[in-house]
Amino acid sequence: MVNIVENTQLKRNIGFVVATSIVIGTVIGSGIFMKPGIVLASSGGSTMALWAWIIGGIITLASGLTIAEVSVKIPKTGGLYAYLEEVYGKFWGFLCGWMQTIIYGPAVIGALGLYFGSLVADLVGLSETGKLFVSVSSVLFLFILNAIGTNLGGFIQSLLTVAKLVPIAMIAVFGIWHGDSHITGMSSGNSQSISMGAAVLATLWAYDGWMNVGFIAGEMKNPSKTLPKAIITGIAVVMIAYLSVNVALLHVLPASKIVELGPNAAHTAASILFGDIGGKLIAIGILISIFGCLNGKIMTFPRIPFAMAEDRLFPGAKWLSKVHPKFQTPLYASLFETVLAILFMLVGNPDRLSDIAIFVVFLFYGLAFYAVFLIRKKEDGRQNSLYKVPLYPLTPIVAIVGTLYIVGSTLVDKPIDSFLSILVALAGVPLYKYLTRRMQP
């Protein structure tokens, strides 16, 4: 289904430091600033909220280590849907790519755009209409930027990756140092809809992005050693950063106040710690972090429908597979994802979009985690891999159980959104049959 390039053609020049920075850079985005209030409200209190962040981190770590083995044993480009196609067949690869294109990608871009607009509106005092205008404009601006050339988008991405760590470090260090509020045992003030599953789901939005970790295995100097070390170190750093920020927020603001402030809690805490001007500077740092994450998604997600269209496995393949003659970018695929994202932004709030995105992608993550058992069974004991997941089979089992927990909790807590997402997936079945039938001579 996808254009396949063997990783042996890639130059092995990525070491431990670069690999670890890629892990951290692709995971940290908006979630750590946007989700603490949601996690607190869903879990019911500060102690369970901190446990939700820990559980989300453990699921993420187990997931990353498991996918790393799958990616090394299936050295092909194309990401998640390439793995599923290899193990389960072309249909499952198509269905994964279909859902990533129609729901996951646009929902992630839409949520990030709305979070960005919300913080800008709070910073400069805009109305709801102004907030939406900023949100949509930011997505359109980055679409144009990446349509002009990937090099420009890549340069901006590298620049913003470093900048995003500044507000995290400032809030974590000074919040823990100067705060005086209780951290554990504090009620969120929310007596309705208490669900640990919903709390963990919210943390997984903050941890999302780890799937990119295994894609660089073919470019590492020594993947059998570098890959697991980079994953463990990178995700551990992210977990520590996330827990530190949450402890700092709870040390500065009451749990109920964090819930009340929602996405503006980090900005408010920064204003308390550093004064009005310092708070605004930290808020700008947070905006840079979200903007950088948004740029990365707009740059990479269109490659999924583009690759599918090249193999004529997507409606409008003739247009979506076109590369702009001057800029050498997948212009129409990028435009398609951008339009879908804007439509999502017009009808949904960012928290709802982020939950839908995580639910959809975890439907297919579970299949990818189970694939490691099928691959090992096929190997029949042969040691022909550069990397094997540590603590097998415990690690992939943790990843699978975590997936089932998230999918099951979402089905219970958000049945309408879950049903609509599954409906879209089912709509891909007749579409796949039509497209493959049309390809037959």
Side-chain angles (χ1 to χ4, degrees):
M1 188 193 89
V2 293
N3 291 331
I4 295 171
V5 180
E6 297 300 322
N7 279 350
T8 52
Q9 297 176 340
L10 300 173
K11 187 176 181 180
R12 295 184 180 274
N13 59 359
I14 294 178
F16 169 72
V17 174
V18 174
T20 303
S21 67
I22 290 173
V23 175
I24 296 170
T26 54
V27 172
I28 294 178
S30 68
I32 184 54
F33 307 114
M34 301 295 102
K35 292 297 185 179
I38 298 294
V39 176
L40 274 166
S42 300
S43 62
S46 59
T47 302
M48 295 308 295
L50 292 174
W51 273 111
W53 286 100
I54 293 172
I55 293 170
I58 292 172
I59 293 173
T60 301
L61 182 59
S63 301
L65 290 170
T66 302
I67 286 297
E69 177 169 334
V70 176
S71 68
V72 169
K73 290 182 176 178
I74 305 177
K76 300 176 180 178
T77 59
L80 179 62
Y81 63 93
Y83 303 152
L84 297 189
E85 180 190 40
E86 177 73 17
V87 177
Y88 299 101
K90 182 176 288 188
F91 169 73
W92 286 103
F94 165 82
L95 205 60
C96 176
W98 163 254
M99 291 298 285
Q100 284 183 302
T101 299
I102 298 298
I103 294 184
Y104 177 66
V108 169
I109 293 171
L112 287 169
L114 289 171
Y115 283 137
F116 182 81
S118 175
L119 288 182
V120 170
D122 181 68
L123 191 63
V124 300
L126 295 178
S127 64
E128 286 296 319
T129 303
K131 181 192 301 184
L132 184 60
F133 175 78
V134 171
S135 301
V136 173
S137 297
S138 64
V139 170
L140 286 173
F141 172 74
L142 288 175
F143 156 69
I144 294 171
L145 206 65
N146 283 281
I148 291 174
T150 303
N151 287 339
L152 183 58
F155 170 75
I156 291 174
Q157 185 64 25
S158 299
L159 185 66
L160 298 181
T161 296
V162 177
K164 71 172 63 178
L165 297 175
V166 175
I168 290 177
M170 295 289 286
I171 293 173
V173 172
F174 285 91
I176 294 173
W177 185 13
H178 290 294
D180 57 5
S181 297
H182 291 288
I183 296 172
T184 58
M186 295 295 102
S187 172
S188 66
N190 178 35
S191 59
Q192 299 178 344
S193 303
I194 303 299
S195 169
M196 198 60 180
V200 175
L201 178 69
T203 70
L204 290 174
W205 166 260
Y207 286 113
D208 192 38
W210 57 265
M211 179 58 78
N212 298 330
V213 173
F215 299 171
I216 58 174
E219 298 165 78
M220 288 183 179
K221 296 175 183 177
N222 188 349
S224 62
K225 293 183 178 179
T226 303
L227 187 57
K229 284 168 61 178
I231 291 173
I232 293 171
T233 305
I235 295 179
V237 168
V238 172
M239 286 179 66
I240 292 169
Y242 285 3
L243 283 169
S244 298
V245 169
N246 276 275
V247 169
L249 289 177
L250 288 166
H251 214 28
V252 175
L253 297 167
S256 57
K257 189 65 176 179
I258 295 174
V259 173
E260 179 187 332
L261 290 168
N264 297 311
H267 174 206
T268 302
S271 297
I272 294 172
L273 291 170
F274 309 110
D276 188 53
I277 295 177
K280 281 182 166 40
L281 289 175
I282 293 296
I284 292 171
I286 295 171
L287 286 171
I288 290 173
S289 174
I290 297 174
F291 197 69
C293 187
L294 179 60
N295 178 70
K297 305 303 185 186
I298 291 175
M299 180 167 52
T300 56
F301 279 144
R303 270 61 183 177
I304 299 172
F306 175 76
M308 295 176 71
E310 280 196 312
D311 291 317
R312 295 187 295 164
L313 275 175
F314 208 88
K318 179 181 177 181
W319 289 97
L320 293 177
S321 61
K322 282 189 174 182
V323 175
H324 192 278
K326 180 180 179 181
F327 303 127
Q328 299 295 299
T329 56
L331 178 62
Y332 294 104
S334 297
L335 179 62
F336 178 68
E337 286 291 276
T338 301
V339 170
L340 282 179
I342 291 173
L343 290 175
F344 274 44
M345 293 165 76
L346 296 175
V347 300
N349 67 69
D351 291 325
R352 184 181 183 187
L353 292 180
S354 63
D355 285 348
I356 290 172
I358 296 302
F359 172 74
V360 164
V361 80
F362 263 83
L363 289 174
F364 296 95
Y365 280 174
L367 291 173
F369 301 150
Y370 185 68
V372 75
F373 292 102
L374 299 179
I375 293 171
R376 288 211 181 187
K377 183 178 180 181
K378 186 176 180 180
E379 286 181 348
D380 194 25
R382 298 189 302 274
Q383 299 293 318
N384 58 356
S385 176
L386 294 171
Y387 163 80
K388 288 187 178 294
V389 59
L391 301 177
Y392 179 90
L394 178 61
T395 301
I397 288 174
V398 170
I400 292 170
V401 170
T403 299
L404 293 173
Y405 176 64
I406 292 304
V407 171
S409 298
T410 310
L411 285 168
V412 173
D413 295 334
K414 297 173 172 53
I416 296 177
D417 290 343
S418 302
F419 172 75
L420 291 175
S421 299
I422 293 172
L423 203 61
V424 173
L426 293 175
V429 177
L431 179 63
Y432 172 78
K433 292 181 179 179
Y434 167 75
L435 291 171
T436 51
R437 187 167 58 247
R438 193 177 63 175
M439 292 169 58
Q440 295 175 354

